[in-house]
Structures are given as C-alpha cells and as structure tokens.
Amino acid sequence: MTDTQQRITHWIDGRPWTGTPERTGEVFDPATGSVTARVDLAGAATVDEAVASARGAFAAWRRTSLSRRTAVLFAFRRLLAERAGEVAAAITAEHGKVLDDAAGEVQRGLEVVEFACGIPHLLRGGHTAGVSTGVDVHAVRQPLGVTAVISPFNFPAMVPLWFVPLAIACGNSVVLKPSEKDPSASLLLARLWSEAGLPDGVLTVVQGDKEAVDRLLVHEDVASVSFVGSTPVARHVYETASAHGKRVQALGGAKNHMVVLPDADLDLAADAAVNAGFGSAGERCMAVSALVAVEPVADALVARIAERIAALRVGDGRRGCDMGPLVTAAHRDRVAGYVEAGVAAGAELVADGRTHPVDGDADGFWLGPTLFDRVTPDMSVYTDEIFGPVLSVLRADSYDAALALVNGSPYGNGAAIFTNDGGAARRFEEEVEAGMVGINVPIPVPVSSYSFGGWKDSLFGDTHAYGPDGVHFFTRTKTVTTRWPDPRHRGIDLGFPRND
C-alpha cells in the first residue's frame, strides 16, 4: 500500500478495527482506473469476531425501550440528511455513478430510515380478551438476534439502508458485509449510527468477499440473512443459509421489460427508456434492459431513443456528466463482450457504446450507452442479465405477444407498460408475472411504506425488503395465552384443556 492509498477496514465494537488483515483487495476510482485504497478482506476469524460483538450487544439492545430506539433513529436520520453529500461523494469516487445519481440513492435510503422511525406503531401487537372463560390472548413481535446484511456494489448506501434501519429498530443487532468494490459508504453510515447514539456492537461492518459471506451463511449465531445480488449467488445464499436454519431474503437478478403499446406517447416512452436503461450505467437491478415495441411504433421509437443517446454526456461523475464509468475494468470488458455477441448474433447495432465520446481519463472503465434493435429471444443480449448500459429492442405484433415475452423470462423483478389505454394497463397489471409493475413508470421501485421484491428467479425466500415485509422479516411473533385463576377455583382436572 502506497502513501497515497488509504486503508479501509472493518467496524467492530463501535470503532475501526486495528487487527492484522488476513488478506486485502484493491479499491479503484472507476473514472481514472487508479487504485485509491486497499480494503481488508475478512476471513472466518474476523467474521467470528464481528458476530461475537453483535451477539454481545443484542442482549441489551433488545431490551432498550422503543422510545429510546426511536430517538436513535431520528438522530441518525438528521445526521444522514446533513451529510448526504459526503456519502454521495464516497459513492461516486468508488462506484463511478454521477453525483446526482449518488445523491438520489442516499435520498431513497433516507426514506426507509424515516419509515423505521415509526417503529412503535409498526410493532404494535394484537390482543383479544375473553377468548374463553377467563382466558385472554395477545401477540407480540420480538427481534431475531444477530442479522446479517450482504449488500451489492451498485447501491453501497441505499441497499444497506433498506435493511439496517428496520433491523435495528426492531431490536436486532446487525453485521453488514458490503461489497469489497466500494466499501467506504458503509463505514460512513456506521460512523453516523455511532454519532446518533447507537450502542457499540449493535452495528458492525465486516469487509470481505466470498470467504466472509460463506462464513456468515453458516455461523451458528446468525439468525437471518438479507442479500441483494445476482441470481446464482442469491440461490447459493438462500440454499446455504436456510439449510443452516436461518431466515433468508435473497433478492436476485433481473431482466426488466418495458412494453410500449401503439397508443403510447412515444416521446415520453423514449425519455423513460433512456433514463431507465442507462442511468447508473445500467448497473441497477431495476434497469430496463429489454424494450418490447408493439408494432407499428418500433421504427419511430428506436429513432427517438437513438437521438437521445447521441446527446448523452458520458464521463467522470464529478464533472456534471449524464453517465459515468462501469465499476471495474473486468465488468466493463464483460459488458463489451455482450455487445460483440449481439452483433455476431445478428442484432442491429443502432448505437455502439464502445465508440461513444467520453469526458474522462483515458484509463477509466468506460462503455457508453448501447442500443440494439431487432433482438430475438434466443440472443444472449436478451436472455442474460448484462448489468450494463445495453438496451435491447424486441418487436411484437400484439399486446399478447409482448406479454408472452415478458412472462417467458425466468426473472420477475420489475415490468413496465407505456400506454394511454386504461384497460390495457389494468390488464397488464393483472397478467404480468413480476413483483413490481410500472404504468408509465419505467423503474417501479416502491416507496418505503410498501415493500421491494420480485418473483420467480428474482427472489429466493418469501419476504420482500423494507416496508411491512421488512418489519415482519426482522421480527418473529410470540402468542401468549393468559388465564388468571379465579380465587374461588378449587380442584384438579386431568382432562384435555377445553374452550368453554
């Protein structure tokens, strides 16, 4: 590690870790291609240390009053709002997304914090008096224990904020394992939690890669696992952690479709396709990557999208550009490989991101917006989750054919339809096989009072993220049946209990 490279380490017991790392990894500035830091990568021993800290803190935190927990949440919300710019800058420096996009990420995470501030209301149980003679029943929601959160590189602040505030509000302790590609945002959040008054150990951050993840999945003191990432890894997380008795919500990959009907406002649809397809360089699980144009509008729609692509400014996210670099050189090369595969398969390359002008360092991890037309369902640019700025246009001759394309995908994260026909929109809402649906909304990410999650291979486990599902995931119900004996009662009855 050179003098100009910082060390990024774990956060355990309310402070930066001071031990000797088992391994380290490089952290890049994607806009320049330079290594800016080295991150400690935890092995099993460090993961065990982090879990032990979280387990030790849980006993006291679960007994902390809801009013005290709420005070910490409100304080964290204020600090995060005040220092949102600092968190956004850290995201841009390590992920590459433009500053405005990074600021929007923090804002969406802040909405979940605000939802969690209502935890006294959200944890209210039920009570029924007199279910039987002299018998009352009430239900309470109690925390799980140590909860693990494994978050991806594409939203280094928002995804942790989907899970951590609710887990903490419900009385759990949390071990957060962020992506090793952009780990600094997680440490900024941990510091803000500490400044807000969260007791040491209630939140720990353990940096690492697959070795750290695999240890968390089988650790006997981890009660639940929340994960966001690709479908193959989500399946591994779900199968491994659930086999070890843990509650799991594993959100996987996507191939989000946007259907455009002939009556749609084509300018609105073109704007939406560009925004949803190329924002954050397409590194979003909710990005639109497949646009299904129902004829006869395909030619006009493709022309509008191509015109908008040509005007996009690609470059360093700190320079006011529209789209930044991809997160690593390896990922950029992987996405570029799909562009080559699409051309070889016979798709029409309307806009080639490999030649798009760039306002940035020559060594940055650049790939501009790419548009394919006349894509067919057998091509890899359609079947695979590319996770980059590649938009594929497929042509359908009817609503039914378009719907069949969407529902034929193994993924079911999000789907959108653009139309001015209320009947068609209602039919799509009912018939499409996706967990989140947009009507003239290209990225239908729910607000914090609803829950986020897909269907089919986009979700493993039954519980979605944040919102009411988040509260249910991070708590378990205990039902208490009470009888206070009448002082006049006498005698023994060995029969089976009766409901009289």
Side-chain angles (χ1 to χ4, degrees):
M1 185 167 63
T2 67
D3 293 339
T4 60
Q5 293 174 8
Q6 68 175 117
R7 176 190 178 189
I8 300 173
T9 190
H10 321 293
W11 181 271
I12 300 177
D13 289 331
R15 62 191 63 86
W17 188 68
T18 58
T20 301
E22 291 95 331
R23 296 173 295 125
T24 63
E26 294 178 329
V27 178
F28 291 87
D29 179 344
T32 65
S34 61
V35 177
T36 57
R38 296 200 69 86
V39 58
D40 294 346
L41 301 176
T46 304
V47 172
D48 291 350
E49 183 180 348
V51 173
S53 173
R55 179 174 175 80
F58 169 66
W61 183 244
R62 70 173 301 176
R63 294 193 299 270
T64 301
S65 69
L66 287 175
S67 60
R68 173 59 186 152
R69 288 187 223 161
T70 303
V72 172
L73 284 159
F74 271 101
F76 175 74
R77 181 217 169 276
R78 174 181 57 81
L79 289 168
L80 181 58
E82 291 173 352
R83 294 165 65 178
E86 182 181 349
V87 178
I91 294 169
T92 296
E94 294 180 351
H95 175 276
K97 66 178 65 176
V98 300
L99 274 172
D100 285 348
D101 194 18
E105 169 183 346
V106 178
Q107 178 59 42
R108 291 306 301 268
L110 189 59
E111 293 174 9
V112 180
V113 179
E114 292 167 348
F115 176 77
C117 286
I119 200 63
H121 168 75
L122 301 171
L123 287 182
R124 288 192 307 175
H127 180 271
T128 303
V131 295
S132 186
T133 303
V135 176
D136 303 332
V137 175
H138 71 275
V140 295
R141 303 200 70 87
Q142 295 186 328
L144 305 177
V146 178
T147 61
V149 175
I150 303 166
S151 64
F153 75 83
N154 59 323
F155 288 104
M158 187 182 73
V159 169
L161 291 170
W162 280 0
F163 300 108
V164 174
L166 276 177
I168 288 174
C170 291
N172 301 282
S173 58
V174 180
V175 177
L176 169 62
K177 207 299 289 183
S179 170
E180 68 278 15
K181 295 181 178 67
D182 45 10
S184 291
S186 62
L187 295 179
L188 284 172
L189 296 178
R191 290 183 182 276
L192 295 182
W193 277 111
S194 182
E195 291 178 31
L198 188 70
D200 295 347
V202 176
L203 172 63
T204 67
V205 179
V206 58
Q207 310 288 357
D209 52 14
K210 186 178 186 298
E211 184 176 340
V213 169
D214 285 344
R215 178 58 184 149
L216 286 170
L217 299 183
V218 302
H219 199 292
E220 60 275 11
D221 290 332
V222 172
S224 73
V225 176
S226 301
F227 171 85
V228 177
S230 69
T231 287
V233 181
R235 182 180 285 110
H236 166 72
V237 167
Y238 176 75
E239 292 176 350
T240 304
S242 60
H244 285 80
K246 307 185 190 315
R247 183 176 291 188
V248 186
Q249 49 183 176
L251 283 65
K255 197 70 181 181
N256 302 307
H257 291 70
M258 174 175 154
V259 175
V260 181
L261 297 187
D263 69 303
D265 181 327
L266 294 188
D267 287 316
L268 174 66
D271 288 341
V274 172
N275 293 337
F278 305 120
S280 195
E283 293 174 328
R284 294 173 175 161
C285 67
M286 288 296 289
V288 168
S289 55
L291 190 154
V292 184
V294 179
E295 295 292 23
V297 301
D299 286 343
L301 182 58
V302 168
R304 283 169 168 80
I305 295 172
E307 180 182 6
R308 286 157 173 78
I309 286 175
L312 289 180
R313 185 178 168 208
V314 177
D316 193 319
R318 293 156 293 207
R319 299 182 184 178
C321 295
D322 300 308
M323 193 185 100
L326 275 72
V327 68
T328 64
H331 185 55
R332 185 267 318 278
D333 294 344
R334 173 183 174 275
V335 176
Y338 276 103
V339 178
E340 296 169 4
V343 172
E348 179 183 337
L349 185 58
V350 178
D352 188 347
R354 298 169 297 182
T355 60
H356 195 96
V358 172
D359 180 11
D361 191 290
D363 293 328
F365 309 142
W366 309 111
L367 182 67
T370 298
L371 177 64
F372 280 111
D373 190 13
R374 302 185 185 277
V375 173
T376 57
D378 59 319
M379 295 178 181
S380 63
V381 290
Y382 174 71
T383 59
D384 296 0
E385 184 185 30
I386 299 174
F387 222 65
V390 179
L391 178 62
S392 297
V393 176
L394 297 89
R395 297 175 177 232
D397 58 10
S398 67
Y399 165 87
D400 288 329
L403 181 70
L405 275 172
V406 179
N407 288 349
S409 172
Y411 300 106
N413 210 39
I417 189 169
F418 277 70
T419 180
N420 287 315
D421 184 336
R426 185 183 180 103
R427 183 179 170 190
F428 185 80
E429 174 187 337
E430 293 175 348
E431 296 177 340
V432 72
E433 296 175 3
M436 294 168 284
V437 180
I439 309 297
N440 297 318
V441 175
I443 304 179
V445 176
V447 296
S448 61
S449 54
Y450 285 79
S451 297
F452 178 103
W455 290 5
K456 300 192 284 188
D457 283 355
S458 294
L459 177 72
F460 298 87
D462 298 321
T463 308
H464 291 185
Y466 64 79
D469 276 17
V471 176
H472 292 164
F473 181 81
F474 288 116
T475 58
R476 51 186 175 180
T477 302
K478 180 179 288 183
T479 305
V480 182
T481 303
T482 304
R483 170 184 286 153
W484 294 109
D486 189 312
R488 296 167 295 182
H489 173 75
R490 294 291 183 274
I492 295 174
D493 183 354
L494 300 183
F496 194 82
R498 299 183 298 276
N499 292 327
D500 296 328

